[in-house]
Amino acid sequence: MSRIALSLSALLLVTVAGCAKTDGYSQADAAAEAAPAGLTGQANAPGNFLAYSHEATVRLEAAAIAERVAAVRTACMEGRHGTCTVLGEEQSSGQWPGGKLQLRAEPKAIEPLVAMAAQGGELSQRATEAEDLADAVRDNGLRQQRLRIQHERLSEFLARRDIKAEDLIALSNQLAQIETELQASEQEAAQQQRRLSTNLLTLRFESSQVTAESSELGEALRDSLSVLDASVAVLVTVVVATLPFLLVLLAVGWAVRALLRRRRPAA
């Protein structure tokens, strides 16, 4: 192994072992560097790394559901209350009309969007959850620092004029791998920042004509019909499966009776 290869191996070991304390770098520093700037409002207090998600269920007249879903979607896409992105949309009609919108919006847009969805109806359910991303942000920040240090050192080795061909190939392959990992880490950091700076909002729309009791009764009736259908299907299967044996038994019984009659002495 050449001197350059040996030096490279030693360098990578030292980098991995010492990256957490290079230049006084701590876990708190990593979190601070990877954190999105300018988080305001209810989403995050200073020093917090919470990814908020909200769910709200709105009860409206069946005829108004499709129009309301479209109105909220348009308000989000036009950014009337702030940055907002539509992630998904569902609508159903028939006996159980309903709708669903999944949005990602900045914190100040959450309340206006929920109020708009519930206008003229009833906000029957609302829930808020938060996922702590502090550990994930810290770990990804440390990973990015380690990869950047390795990338810098490998670039310095590649710039040497006395490098051998086999070392050049090995270093180039390692550099390409590090660049791939660094790109993935940067994408993860961008996704974390997006989750920290915006909120996930799921809006569900239900018909006000459908009560919990009626929906449960309808579900029970549907389940009963399903059970009855399955039972009849099993019964038909059993009858069809046993019918040939019954016919054979009847034929044998008839033949035995006929034979006994022939052997019976005449009175």
Side-chain angles (χ1 to χ4, degrees):
M1 183 181 293
S2 65
R3 290 189 301 170
I4 294 180
L6 290 173
S7 301
L8 174 62
S9 300
L11 170 64
L12 294 179
L13 289 175
V14 171
T15 301
V16 172
C19 67
K21 58 182 180 180
T22 302
D23 296 329
Y25 194 86
S26 65
Q27 294 180 349
D29 295 330
E33 288 183 7
L39 294 182
T40 58
Q42 301 180 18
N44 272 288
N48 289 343
F49 300 91
L50 302 177
Y52 283 90
S53 60
H54 311 272
E55 291 189 5
T57 301
V58 175
R59 300 177 65 83
L60 295 167
E61 294 185 2
I65 290 179
E67 181 180 354
R68 187 61 52 81
V69 171
V72 177
R73 180 187 67 241
T74 301
C76 173
M77 296 177 65
E78 294 179 352
R80 297 178 189 174
H81 307 291
T83 304
C84 183
T85 303
V86 178
L87 301 180
E89 177 180 348
E90 297 178 11
Q91 288 196 52
S92 59
S93 57
Q95 186 178 5
W96 314 105
K100 177 182 176 182
L101 270 177
Q102 193 168 50
L103 316 172
R104 181 165 288 282
E106 57 182 303
K108 70 176 184 178
I110 299 299
E111 291 297 335
L113 289 171
V114 173
M116 183 179 184
Q119 186 176 3
E122 175 191 0
L123 184 60
S124 62
Q125 183 267 341
R126 171 118 185 229
T128 298
E129 295 182 351
E131 180 183 357
D132 192 351
L133 300 182
D135 290 341
V137 169
R138 177 202 63 206
D139 294 342
N140 194 53
L142 292 171
R143 181 188 176 198
Q144 286 188 53
Q145 187 203 24
R146 173 177 58 82
L147 291 172
R148 290 192 180 105
I149 293 175
Q150 292 179 357
H151 187 278
E152 181 181 354
R153 298 297 186 266
L154 287 176
S155 299
E156 293 176 356
F157 275 111
L158 284 172
R160 294 180 57 171
R161 295 184 178 181
D162 60 343
I163 187 172
K164 295 182 179 180
E166 59 270 21
D167 293 332
L168 178 62
I169 295 174
L171 290 174
S172 299
N173 291 336
Q174 292 186 24
L175 188 64
Q177 181 179 354
I178 289 176
E179 288 176 347
T180 301
E181 294 181 9
L182 184 58
Q183 183 179 7
S185 181
E186 290 173 347
Q187 291 176 350
E188 182 179 351
Q191 179 64 17
Q192 290 171 344
Q193 177 175 348
R194 185 166 176 261
R195 294 185 63 192
L196 291 170
S197 59
T198 60
N199 288 183
L200 179 65
L201 173 61
T202 302
L203 295 170
R204 291 184 173 85
F205 299 85
E206 297 178 350
S207 172
S208 56
Q209 282 77 28
V210 180
T211 63
E213 291 77 8
S214 64
S215 62
E216 290 176 2
L217 178 59
E219 185 176 354
L221 290 174
R222 290 195 298 273
D223 291 343
S224 299
L225 291 175
S226 178
V227 171
L228 178 61
D229 181 67
S231 300
V232 172
V234 171
L235 180 61
V236 171
T237 302
V238 172
V239 171
V240 172
T242 56
L243 183 60
F245 299 99
L246 292 176
L247 293 176
V248 170
L249 289 176
L250 289 174
V252 171
W254 179 83
V256 170
R257 289 183 62 183
L259 182 62
L260 292 176
R261 286 176 181 177
R262 289 181 181 181
R263 293 183 176 183
R264 185 179 301 170

